[in-house]
Amino acid sequence: MAHEEITKTSRGMKLVIRNIGLLLSGDLKKPILDADTVVVRDGRISAIGKEKELDAEGTANLIDANGTALVPGLIDSHVHPVAGDWTPRQNQFGWIDSCLHGGVTTMISAGEVHTPGRPKDVVGLKAMAITAQRSFATLRPSGVKVLAGAPVIEQGMVEEDFKMLAEAGVKFLGEVGLGSVKDGPTARQMVGWARKHGIQSTIHTGGPSIPGSGLIDRDVVLAADTDVIGHINGGHTALPDVQIRALCEQSERALEIVHNGNERAALFVLRTAKELGILHRVILGTDAPAGSGVQPLGIIRVIAALSSIAELPAEVAFCFATGNTARMRNLDCGLMEVGRSADFVFMDAPQHSAGKNLLESVRFGDLPGIGMTVIDGVVRSERSRNTPPAARVPQIVK
Ligand SMILES: [Zn+2]
């Protein structure tokens, strides 16, 4: 397990990725780009196009994609990290590294709620959030960007608390509802203070996930008006369809589908979003680690399930875990665009898939084979130890 201090950067470095067989953009409006080469400078995308038209001079690093697909690094919108690459929930080490092997390059904390002895008093929860933010900003497990430090709101917090948290670098709230604030009006007031000071919010939607958590129904979700409707398909216990539909229709916030949720409800959300023309609001998470465990392949499993069962083009399903999340969550990754973070996953159809290529195999419900990951222009892993083997893998030329 290679941990990396964030101070080690790719500054001054140039990377060229050539011979890309399929370039996915992460953008629903145009999910497939007509290009075979991506150039990276200083950890960011500097050019996208045809190899013969691009400047490949002075290339320090060259990767031959070998005809595989290049996809923006996957974003898990809903994780519960604790400390480094350890989760006490299932007492596992190395879960983040394992998720990197499932194509995840960025994770967003929905609260460090599994921390043993988690403080619930206001000064304690603020201290813990700031500690988590600092800890994961300093040390990236296997290079994965873990955006952590997400306090769970408790009764008694005042606007000054949110201002102080924001000034200290906290950018996300943990799931509303996991603490003592479970009513709409209080949640709405605190979410409003958080938003005013630049902190994004999410909410625990549905029945209790584990002993100690509670029910958050449609009325509370709509009243709280968090930026993300966290696990709209339940975590695991989903709301009735009529309430889920109301959330799709009456809110304009992100609709987060998680792996550790109700699968039937996930399909209902997707079909409703399709019918209402709001697929741009669909984002994906795992909600791992959880009672259901850690799913290193959770995000690609949801992509393959939604694409195959809900009959959605695979390139569209990939947008949910890339560009959609980046836009709804204001991240600088997730899209194949000049200036964005050079976070990539190389994928191909798995060996012996019934599908002829990556997109067809996902449409048939197979998981993609991952051949390499890149974060900030630096190779972080090669052939995945967790996915079915990719038919083709990229090669580091120099
Ligand atoms: Zn939850």
Side-chain angles (χ1 to χ4, degrees):
M1 223 186 310
H3 294 292
E4 187 188 330
E5 292 287 342
I6 202 166
T7 45
K8 202 169 107 190
T9 68
S10 44
R11 208 169 297 135
M13 201 206 69
K14 182 172 176 181
L15 166 70
V16 173
I17 302 169
R18 59 182 291 273
N19 201 13
I20 298 165
L22 171 71
L23 189 59
L24 297 189
S25 70
D27 183 353
L28 274 181
K29 291 195 199 83
K30 195 183 183 214
I32 298 175
L33 298 177
D34 181 23
D36 61 13
T37 302
V38 170
V39 182
V40 174
R41 274 182 199 275
D42 302 332
R44 294 191 175 270
I45 300 169
S46 65
I48 299 167
K50 298 281 189 191
E51 186 177 10
K52 55 183 182 307
E53 296 157 5
L54 294 178
D55 165 33
E57 288 299 305
T59 299
N61 302 84
L62 179 65
I63 295 173
D64 185 333
N66 194 24
T68 60
L70 191 71
V71 182
L74 305 178
I75 306 164
D76 186 337
S77 170
H78 193 133
V79 298
H80 292 293
V82 167
D85 208 349
W86 169 62
T87 170
R89 173 61 60 187
Q90 302 300 342
N91 208 7
Q92 272 180 263
F93 288 96
W95 71 280
I96 295 172
D97 185 72
S98 250
C99 291
L100 174 70
H101 281 256
V104 172
T105 56
T106 296
M107 295 177 163
I108 303 173
S109 174
E112 294 79 36
V113 289
H114 301 163
T115 304
R118 168 167 74 97
K120 293 176 180 170
D121 61 302
V122 177
V123 69
L125 75 87
K126 288 195 294 184
M128 193 181 86
I130 294 165
T131 303
Q133 188 277 331
R134 296 287 186 280
S135 166
F136 284 101
T138 307
L139 188 85
R140 291 181 176 172
S142 302
V144 175
K145 298 170 176 174
V146 182
L147 310 176
V152 172
I153 57 173
E154 300 282 356
Q155 295 287 349
M157 292 182 79
V158 295
E159 181 177 351
E160 193 61 28
D161 294 317
F162 294 89
K163 182 167 180 280
M164 178 264 187
L165 284 164
E167 284 168 359
V170 167
K171 294 189 166 57
F172 303 93
L173 286 190
E175 289 171 74
V176 171
L178 297 189
S180 53
V181 176
K182 297 187 195 296
D183 69 290
T186 311
R188 186 182 189 85
Q189 183 175 47
M190 293 190 185
V191 163
W193 286 331
R195 186 173 288 129
K196 179 179 166 189
H197 293 286
I199 298 176
Q200 277 183 35
S201 50
T202 185
I203 191 163
H204 173 95
T205 309
S209 50
I210 49 173
S213 85
L215 165 71
I216 299 290
D217 66 7
R218 163 196 57 195
D219 294 341
V220 178
V221 173
L222 288 173
D225 193 32
T226 49
D227 298 294
V228 175
I229 300 176
H231 55 61
I232 187 171
N233 61 318
H236 284 260
T237 313
L239 295 174
D241 287 355
V242 61
Q243 292 202 25
I244 293 177
R245 188 173 179 93
L247 294 177
C248 295
E249 286 176 344
Q250 293 171 38
S251 160
E252 296 193 339
R253 305 299 184 181
L255 310 171
E256 183 192 77
I257 293 174
V258 299
H259 182 278
N260 283 346
N262 177 316
E263 287 91 347
R264 196 199 63 85
L267 286 173
F268 179 77
V269 171
L270 191 72
R271 289 182 173 133
T272 305
K274 209 162 141 184
E275 178 198 325
L276 298 174
I278 52 170
L279 284 179
H280 63 283
R281 286 169 52 199
V282 176
I283 67 175
L284 305 185
T286 54
D287 197 2
S292 288
V294 166
Q295 299 82 25
L297 308 183
I299 295 293
I300 55 174
R301 279 171 55 83
V302 177
I303 288 171
L306 294 179
S307 175
S308 57
I309 304 172
E311 300 181 338
L312 201 68
E315 62 271 27
V316 169
F318 277 108
C319 294
F320 301 157
T322 55
N324 278 11
T325 317
R327 287 196 172 123
M328 301 291 315
R329 296 252 205 192
N330 296 325
L331 305 178
D332 73 348
C333 54
L335 287 158
M336 214 54 89
E337 269 177 14
V338 170
R340 296 257 172 187
S341 274
D343 302 347
F344 309 126
V345 189
F346 292 78
M347 296 182 183
D348 200 13
Q351 292 173 12
H352 303 292
S353 170
K356 290 191 298 291
N357 53 43
L358 171 70
L359 298 179
E360 193 176 89
S361 64
V362 172
R363 273 289 277 111
F364 288 175
D366 287 337
L367 297 182
I370 290 177
M372 187 179 284
T373 62
V374 168
I375 300 176
D376 290 336
V378 177
V379 174
R380 308 292 171 156
S381 62
E382 296 190 57
R383 188 191 278 281
S384 168
R385 65 168 186 266
N386 289 333
T387 66
R392 294 167 296 179
V393 294
Q395 193 196 349
I396 300 172
V397 179
K398 63 175 182 172

